[in-house]
Every structure is written in C-alpha cells, then in structure tokens.
Amino acid sequence: PPSLGGAGDVVVQHAAASSDVDRTVAFFIFGGVLTGPINYRWLDFLAAASRSIAPQGGAASLAAKVALQSTVMQPLIYLPSFYLTNALVRRWSVAEAAEHVRAEYADTLRRLWLFWTPSVCFAFGVLPLRLQA
C-alpha cells in the first residue's frame, strides 16, 4: 500500500532528524502506484517463468526466481522506476536525474541486493504466491 512506503520514509527521516516532504511523497507514489501493481504482474510472470525454466520446482525454481528478480526486476525495472518517480516529484532536470543515477545507482543496487536477496529467498521459498507481494 502507498501508506507503507511513505510511513517507512517518515520513520527513517524522523530517526535521522530530517524532513523532506518531496522524498516522502515520492515514496508514497513509488510504493502504492508503481511497486504494488508492478509486483503483482511480476510475481505472476516469475511463477510462469520458473515453471518453464525449472518444471521440477524445488531449489531450481527458487534459484530461477531469485536470479530473475536480481538481474531483471531490480536493476532494469525497480530502480529506474524509483529514480524516475523521484525525478518527477522533486522536479529534477534530465541532467540532475542523470547525475543522481550516475552517482548513486551502483551503490544503491548493491545495497538493494544485500538486503532483498535474503528476503526474496524467504518469500519465494516459503510463502505462497498470494502472500509474496
């Protein structure tokens, strides 16, 4: 839900003793308008793709889902959507947006992988599809 992304950002900003309304709005939009609906479609795609790649299921299916999540969704869909949302909400010029991507993308992707890879292993390996989004 959009409120979850925005609420999480408010908590982080409070802990850091900062306040950035545009950032919070971007998280609300990104979490509710983009991430939620995209994830539902993506998870259906992952289920079908993993059945095709690893029809036997099990660890091979889990590995296929995690690999697709890490090599397609996160670097090619999730992060670009995140930067685009921030650029629009914060009214960045194309040059400013490009500079943020150049300066932050690799480190952000690395941190995303460090945090989310164990999380998606749990979600894809333990939770039923309906609870993964």
Coordinates of all heavy atoms in Angstrom, one line a residue, residues 113-125 127:
W113 N 20.5 -5.4 -3.3 CA 20.8 -6.9 -3.4 C 21.1 -7.4 -2.0 O 20.7 -8.5 -1.7 CB 21.9 -7.2 -4.4 CG 21.6 -7.1 -5.8 CD1 20.3 -7.3 -6.4 CD2 22.5 -6.9 -6.9 NE1 20.4 -7.1 -7.7 CE2 21.7 -6.9 -8.1 CE3 23.8 -6.7 -7.0 CZ2 22.3 -6.8 -9.3 CZ3 24.4 -6.5 -8.2 CH2 23.6 -6.5 -9.4
L114 N 21.9 -6.7 -1.3 CA 22.3 -7.2 0.1 C 21.1 -7.4 1.0 O 21.0 -8.3 1.8 CB 23.3 -6.3 0.7 CG 24.7 -6.3 0.2 CD1 25.6 -5.2 0.8 CD2 25.4 -7.7 0.5
F115 N 20.2 -6.4 0.9 CA 19.0 -6.5 1.8 C 17.9 -7.5 1.2 O 17.4 -8.3 1.9 CB 18.4 -5.1 2.0 CG 17.2 -5.1 2.8 CD1 17.2 -5.2 4.2 CD2 15.9 -5.2 2.2 CE1 16.1 -5.2 5.0 CE2 14.7 -5.2 3.0 CZ 14.8 -5.3 4.4
W116 N 17.6 -7.3 -0.1 CA 16.5 -8.0 -0.6 C 16.7 -9.4 -1.1 O 15.8 -10.2 -1.1 CB 15.8 -7.2 -1.8 CG 15.0 -6.1 -1.3 CD1 15.4 -4.7 -1.4 CD2 13.8 -6.1 -0.5 NE1 14.4 -4.0 -0.7 CE2 13.4 -4.8 -0.2 CE3 13.0 -7.2 -0.1 CZ2 12.3 -4.5 0.5 CZ3 11.8 -6.9 0.6 CH2 11.5 -5.5 0.9
T117 N 17.9 -9.8 -1.4 CA 18.2 -11.2 -1.8 C 17.8 -12.2 -0.7 O 17.0 -13.1 -1.0 CB 19.6 -11.4 -2.3 OG1 19.8 -10.5 -3.4 CG2 19.9 -12.9 -2.7
P118 N 18.2 -12.0 0.5 CA 17.7 -13.0 1.6 C 16.2 -12.9 1.7 O 15.5 -13.9 2.0 CB 18.4 -12.5 2.9 CG 19.6 -11.7 2.4 CD 19.2 -11.1 1.1
S119 N 15.6 -11.7 1.6 CA 14.2 -11.5 1.8 C 13.4 -12.3 0.7 O 12.4 -12.9 1.0 CB 13.8 -10.0 1.8 OG 14.5 -9.3 2.8
V120 N 13.9 -12.1 -0.6 CA 13.1 -12.8 -1.6 C 13.4 -14.3 -1.6 O 12.5 -15.1 -2.0 CB 13.4 -12.2 -3.0 CG1 13.0 -10.8 -3.1 CG2 14.8 -12.4 -3.5
C121 N 14.5 -14.7 -1.1 CA 14.7 -16.2 -0.9 C 13.7 -16.7 0.1 O 13.1 -17.8 -0.2 CB 16.2 -16.5 -0.4 SG 17.4 -16.3 -1.6
F122 N 13.5 -16.0 1.2 CA 12.5 -16.4 2.1 C 11.1 -16.4 1.5 O 10.3 -17.3 1.5 CB 12.5 -15.5 3.4 CG 11.3 -15.8 4.3 CD1 11.3 -16.9 5.1 CD2 10.2 -14.9 4.3 CE1 10.2 -17.2 5.9 CE2 9.1 -15.2 5.1 CZ 9.1 -16.3 5.9
A123 N 10.8 -15.2 0.8 CA 9.4 -15.1 0.3 C 9.1 -16.1 -0.8 O 8.1 -16.8 -0.8 CB 9.3 -13.7 -0.3
F124 N 10.1 -16.3 -1.8 CA 9.8 -17.2 -2.8 C 10.0 -18.7 -2.4 O 9.3 -19.6 -3.0 CB 10.8 -17.0 -4.0 CG 10.7 -15.7 -4.7 CD1 11.8 -15.1 -5.3 CD2 9.5 -14.9 -4.6 CE1 11.7 -13.9 -6.0 CE2 9.4 -13.7 -5.2 CZ 10.5 -13.2 -5.9
G125 N 10.7 -18.9 -1.4 CA 11.0 -20.3 -0.9 C 10.0 -20.8 0.1 O 9.8 -22.0 0.2
L127 N 6.8 -18.6 1.3 CA 5.4 -18.1 1.3 C 4.7 -18.5 0.0 O 5.3 -18.6 -1.1 CB 5.5 -16.5 1.3 CG 6.1 -15.9 2.5 CD1 6.2 -14.4 2.3 CD2 5.4 -16.3 3.8

